[in-house]
Amino acid sequence: MPSRASAQKAETVRALSGNHTGIDDAPVQGVEGPARPLAPGDPGGISHLTPRERQVLILIGQAAPNRAISRQLVITERTVKAHLANLMVKVGVSTRVEAAIFAYVHHHAIRRPAA
């Protein structure tokens, strides 16, 4: 005869295997669907980017390291760092990761030619 603890463990396993989370799935009053996280930065800053800064930002969005960016654009790594610092100020991001997220979210606007 199984012990009470064994029976509880078995019940837990059955509940978990059925994707039961133990959390009430009923909608929360006043909340409509999952919240969409906001992207960092200011899309209005895109219009202030130089064509080269746009190229660097696109490559940052593709997770390219500075060395790869410098080789592809035929510029020094120091110049890549300067472009990165300048574009981060213009679009209002404070880290390379935020710049990459910004580039991913706004890639269509970044690829458009500057007006």
Side-chain angles (χ1 to χ4, degrees):
M1 178 186 308
S3 70
R4 183 177 171 107
S6 295
Q8 287 176 335
K9 286 179 186 176
E11 182 60 33
T12 301
V13 169
R14 279 193 293 278
L16 291 175
S17 66
N19 292 330
H20 177 72
T21 61
I23 299 172
D24 185 10
D25 292 331
V28 177
Q29 187 113 13
V31 176
E32 298 176 11
R36 182 175 176 203
L38 300 176
D42 175 17
I46 294 171
S47 64
H48 300 291
L49 297 175
T50 66
R52 185 62 89 179
E53 289 168 346
R54 287 171 183 259
Q55 291 173 325
V56 170
L57 184 55
I58 288 167
L59 293 170
I60 293 292
Q62 296 170 353
N66 288 356
R67 179 170 287 164
I69 295 170
S70 71
R71 288 180 181 159
Q72 185 168 344
L73 300 180
V74 193
I75 57 178
T76 67
E77 284 186 61
R78 186 175 178 165
T79 303
V80 172
K81 290 177 187 177
H83 286 311
L84 181 56
N86 290 336
L87 72 85
M88 287 172 64
V89 169
K90 290 178 181 179
V91 299
V93 297
S94 57
T95 67
R96 185 184 187 97
V97 171
E98 286 182 354
I101 294 168
F102 181 89
Y104 179 79
V105 171
H106 302 290
H107 68 277
H108 292 297
I110 296 166
R111 289 186 184 274
R112 267 189 237 122

